Each structure stands twice: as structure tokens, then as C-alpha cells.
Amino acid sequence: MSMRATLAFATLRRNPARTVLAVLGIAVAAALLLDMVMLATGMRESFRSLLLTRGYQLRVSPKGTLPFDSEATIDGATAIVTALRANPDIRAVSPGLGATLALPGTRFPSVFSLGLESDVQGDYVLEGGRDLPPPSDTTASAAAPLPAVVNRAFLLRSGLQLGDTLTVASGVDAQLRTTARARVVVLTGEGRFFYVPAETPVMALPLRDLRTLLGSAYRDRMSVAMAESRRGDSASVEAVRRWIAQTQPRVTAISTETAIRQVEERLSYFRQLAFVLGAISLGIGFLLVATLVTLSVNERRGEIAVLRAIGTQKGGVLRQVFLDGFMLSGTGIAGGLLLGLVTARWLNGILRDFPGLPAAFDFFLWSPEAAWKSLLLLLVSGTLAGLLPAWRAASIPIVRSLREDAVG
């Protein structure tokens, strides 16, 4: 260890209680700054990752709406999906239909259901059991139970297990307590659904079977379609989006970038809060270091005067005081990194429990580049906080300081 580092360490140990409190304060400021950076960048990146979970960069929804933002559906779905799949710039298209089905004789009255094509679906990942059959599979008889994939929340609330059967119905008349259509379904698989809150029970059925169950009014309808551009760059995705807008006037095509901008507008207060609290944490770190270094310099006026008297240059005194601030800031930031990661994990668990949020959405997301830049900014801020105390220390009148130290 160099002489300057030894002196700096000895200076911090001179008043251990004050040093520990200052380090704790800087650690809290660093943790707050880190968490706010993770919050500001995490929501955007988490939402982007959520939308691109299965590679689909485009969502096609009813004109003027967001996907599943209303109960509106798109008529003529077959023609639209066929046209999209015929475009050589589109790799895959996944149509989906959302509806609420009644569950006669179960613990809860209804379940949100998705009609999907299993070979192209991008709404869930299978975690157990068997998946839905592909649309080309027509071997099942009309009287056979419909296969269904459900999430963990459905199994827990219903008390059922994979392999069990139940009845689902549509066209419910609340006054007469009758249903227009009903089918028996068998729970073949358990899936983790990306865009549905974890606490919400959900059931996925083959698209053609859900259309049949809902009746003739839905035989050629869909709620949304997801499309994957063959080339994933932003320019290619935007070109496909414009093509859909021009050739399919009855729908709205939304790219991932557009969806992210719309979500950022709705959640802009989170970013503003993160900016304000991050600025406050920088200010706290600066003031803590400046205060402690100033107190240390005032207590060591006699020592500094002796160093100057034996030939130490002003630059040496400046570097020594700067090193004091650097060691103080660095120690606090190291503790703040660990504290920030722990609190971010805890806060993320609380915020993810908000109703209506997708199960895969995170508020706090670790971004190495942004995190290290913010902590480096705090380190530089804390080190520069010693600038004024260092200049005062280097400018101490040698003779007067020695006389005051001797008399005092």
C-alpha cells in the first residue's frame, strides 16, 4: 500500500463512528441511484423483451385499438392471415381470438380463453403435459373432448389436475341460467402465459374449436394477429407495418417500437420519478463527502501545515485530500451496489403484484452499462466534492497554522 493510501486510510480511521455513518449514507445514496437507473431503463427493456419473447415484432388489431384493449374483433380473419402469410417479407403469422367462457359446476364462474394455432402461437410456453394439436390435425372426432392448455392459476383455483375434464360454455343467459353451446374439454397441458397476469386463470384452446364454440358470429374472426418480419431490423419491420396499413385498411398494425413509445407515454411518471430521485441521490453523496472531508481538513490543519513546512508541495496536499474523498466514496458505492440489488429485487416483487400486469413484466432490470455509468458518476461526484476542502487545505498559511496548533 502506498504512503498516500496509508495516510488516507488512517484519516478515515481517526473517527470511525463518523466514517461509518458517512459510508452508510453514501451506500444508501448509491443504492437509490442504482435502483432509479434500473427503474428508468428496466421498464422499457422489460417491455421490449416481453413483446419479442417469441420473435413477433408486429401486432395486428382492430382498427384504432391496441391488442385486447377492447372486445372488438376483426372479421374476415382468414383472408387477412392468408394475405399476410403470402408476403415474402413475413416469416410467420399467429392469429388469436380472446373470449370469456363460462365454467358450469366449477369453483369460479368463467375463464379468459384464447383460441390459438399451436404451431405458430406466441402466447405461452408449455411447462408440462401435452400441447394443443396443430391446425392440420383433423383426426379427433367431433364428440371428443377439446384439448386445453391452462396456467398454474387455473389449476390452483379450480382444484383440477392435468388429465381432468370439465365443461365450458358460451352464450350464457343469466336470467334463464342457460347456455347456447357447451363442450367438454380435457386439460392436456400447463403453460406459462406471457401477456396475462400470473394471478389470472387462462385457458388456451385450438382456434377453430373456440370459434365453433362461440357460434356462427365468430366463425371467421380474430382479436389479434402477431407477425414476424423475415428481417428483424427496424427499417424492415417498419416497411412491413406500412404494407399492412396500406393493404389492410380494416386493421391497425403496431410495431414493437410504436408499442414501446405508447407504453412509455403511459408510464412516463415512473421515469420522471426515477430522474428526480436519482438527482437527489447524487446531491446527497456529494454533500456527505464534502462535509466529512471538510471536517477532516479542519481537524488536520496542524498536520497539513507540518507537511507543507517539510517541503510537501500544494499538489501533494491536493492529491492526498482527493484520495480521502475517493476512498470514502468508493467504499460507500461498493456497499451501495449490493444494497441496491437487494432492494431492487424486493421492490420488483412488490410492483409485479399490481393487478393487470403480465407475469413476465419487470420494473427493475439490471443494465450493466447504465448501472456502471451511474455509479461512476456518483464516484466522480463524491471525489470532486473534496475539491474545495482540498484547495483550502493546500492554501493553509503555514506559520499561522503551526502557531495556532501549538497554542490550541
Side-chain angles (χ1 to χ4, degrees):
M1 184 181 294
S2 68
M3 181 60 68
R4 294 191 188 280
T6 302
L7 290 175
F9 185 68
T11 300
L12 297 179
R13 286 198 310 170
R14 175 173 297 182
N15 195 325
R18 186 172 65 193
T19 300
V20 169
L21 289 176
V23 169
L24 289 177
I26 296 171
V28 171
L32 178 60
L33 178 61
L34 178 62
D35 287 349
M36 291 305 101
V37 170
M38 293 173 67
L39 177 63
T41 60
M43 289 186 298
R44 175 186 176 90
E45 295 306 316
S46 179
F47 189 68
R48 178 193 294 276
S49 176
L50 179 66
L51 292 181
L52 296 176
T53 299
R54 301 302 286 265
Y56 292 105
Q57 310 101 329
L58 292 160
R59 268 71 178 169
V60 178
S61 58
K63 189 71 173 180
T65 68
L66 293 174
F68 294 111
D69 204 29
S70 67
E71 296 183 359
T73 56
I74 304 170
D75 196 11
T78 301
I80 295 174
V81 171
T82 300
L84 295 181
R85 287 173 174 169
N87 188 327
D89 292 329
I90 297 178
R91 185 190 305 274
V93 179
S94 173
L97 177 62
T100 299
L101 297 178
L103 299 176
T106 61
R107 296 180 182 178
F108 50 102
S110 61
V111 62
F112 176 66
S113 303
L114 287 169
L116 303 170
E117 294 181 352
S118 62
D119 55 343
V120 292
Q121 67 83 18
D123 286 80
Y124 68 86
V125 60
L126 190 69
E127 294 188 329
R130 292 182 291 105
D131 204 352
L132 302 177
S136 58
D137 185 359
T138 58
T139 58
S141 65
L146 300 178
V149 173
V150 296
N151 64 350
R152 171 59 55 177
F154 182 95
L155 295 175
L156 292 176
R157 289 189 59 181
S158 66
L160 299 175
Q161 298 178 351
L162 297 185
D164 291 343
T165 59
L166 73 159
T167 300
V168 296
S170 66
V172 177
D173 190 315
Q175 294 182 343
L176 300 178
R177 297 184 179 181
T178 60
T179 58
R181 290 159 296 277
R183 284 293 300 270
V184 175
V185 302
V186 57
L187 306 182
T188 61
E190 178 186 343
R192 178 169 57 86
F193 289 76
F194 307 122
Y195 310 113
V196 179
E199 72 277 4
T200 301
V202 60
M203 172 186 292
L205 297 168
L207 177 58
R208 64 169 181 267
D209 294 324
L210 181 60
R211 285 171 172 169
T212 302
L213 187 59
L214 293 175
S216 58
Y218 288 86
R219 68 174 180 266
D220 196 23
R221 287 187 174 272
M222 64 181 178
S223 301
V224 65
M226 296 187 291
E228 179 185 359
S229 173
R230 193 168 297 276
R231 290 176 293 180
D233 58 281
S234 300
S236 300
V237 173
E238 180 60 22
V240 173
R241 189 203 65 80
R242 288 197 301 267
W243 175 83
I244 296 175
Q246 292 170 0
T247 60
Q248 306 295 332
R250 294 185 294 112
V251 302
T252 294
I254 304 172
S255 66
T256 300
E257 297 300 328
T258 302
I260 290 174
R261 286 197 298 269
Q262 292 177 347
V263 169
E264 282 189 331
E265 291 175 0
R266 295 186 179 187
L267 300 179
S268 60
Y269 58 91
F270 277 104
R271 295 180 65 87
Q272 294 170 2
L273 176 65
F275 177 79
V276 172
L277 293 180
I280 291 175
S281 67
L282 277 176
I284 291 174
F286 182 90
L287 292 176
L288 280 172
V289 176
T291 301
L292 189 63
V293 174
T294 299
L295 290 174
S296 176
V297 167
N298 289 338
E299 291 175 352
R300 298 163 54 207
R301 288 175 62 90
E303 296 177 14
I304 296 173
V306 171
L307 290 174
R308 292 293 314 281
I310 62 177
T312 303
Q313 300 297 317
K314 280 188 175 182
V317 176
L318 283 171
R319 287 191 293 272
Q320 183 62 50
V321 177
F322 265 122
L323 184 58
D324 293 349
F326 177 82
M327 292 185 65
L328 189 64
S329 301
T331 305
I333 289 173
L337 176 61
L338 179 61
L339 179 62
L341 293 175
V342 172
T343 54
R345 184 183 181 90
W346 175 64
L347 291 172
N348 192 63
I350 294 176
L351 294 175
R352 286 183 66 178
D353 288 337
F354 281 4
L357 286 176
F361 188 82
D362 290 305
F363 283 84
F364 295 84
L365 197 65
W366 170 256
S367 174
E369 182 179 0
W372 292 124
K373 283 183 178 179
S374 64
L375 294 180
L376 179 61
L377 180 62
L378 180 60
L379 180 62
V380 172
S381 174
T383 304
L384 292 179
L387 178 61
L388 181 59
W391 180 257
R392 290 182 58 191
S395 304
I396 289 176
I398 299 176
V399 176
R400 190 177 69 185
S401 295
L402 290 174
R403 184 175 62 252
E404 292 176 352
D405 187 63
V407 174

